[in-house]
Amino acid sequence: MPRYDRFVEELLDFLLTRVDEDGLARLVAHEPRRMHAAYFEGGGGRAETRGMCFTGCTACSRIPPYTLFLDYGRIDVPAWPCEPVRELALRFADAPDYCTGWRPEGAVFASGRLIHEARF
């Protein structure tokens, strides 16, 4: 059984067969890991705390202890692959098995919102 979803596994396999020692060190610094984010869900006379699990980055996806996001759409923690990993993969964009979904502008928060849209 895979440890991560298919998208993560494919990118890891792609990078591990191509990176040099420096690239491997960068990849290890941005290792994917399963994370949990708690968020508030309310409306219609009810209110509850829910949680979601996602694959985050050990360096970029920091959630302070006891954080409760205001709702699912406001979970602003970068999902893996984070921008540094996407930039590492961009070096190999000419490879036939490179996926355009790995480009840096495709980086998303755990909520699924694009990171680059949030900056504008």
Side-chain angles (χ1 to χ4, degrees), residues 41-116:
E41 186 171 291
R46 64 176 176 79
E48 60 188 32
T49 301
R50 294 196 172 194
M52 68 158 306
C53 288
F54 67 98
T55 302
C57 168
T58 55
C60 301
S61 306
R62 309 262 179 186
I63 302 175
Y66 309 109
T67 298
L68 178 64
F69 294 94
L70 294 177
D71 61 41
Y72 181 85
R74 294 188 190 187
I75 300 174
D76 60 354
V77 178
W80 200 93
C82 57
E83 289 184 274
V85 170
R86 289 170 180 272
E87 289 168 5
L88 180 62
L90 191 58
R91 295 179 188 173
F92 309 105
D94 292 337
D97 51 344
Y98 178 83
C99 175
T100 57
W102 296 338
R103 298 186 65 77
E105 59 270 18
V108 296
F109 291 122
S111 64
R113 284 185 305 129
L114 289 169
I115 290 174
H116 78 278

Side-chain angles (χ1 to χ4, degrees), residues 2-6 8-9 12 31-34 55:
R3 185 172 170 190
Y4 304 107
D5 64 36
R6 185 172 158 219
V8 171
E9 294 284 339
L12 281 172
E31 179 183 4
R33 70 177 171 122
R34 297 298 295 158
T55 302

Side-chain angles (χ1 to χ4, degrees), residues 4 7-17 27 32 80 102:
Y4 304 107
F7 183 76
V8 171
E9 294 284 339
E10 287 176 358
L11 181 52
L12 281 172
D13 289 344
F14 178 86
L15 287 172
L16 288 172
T17 60
L27 186 58
W80 200 93
W102 296 338

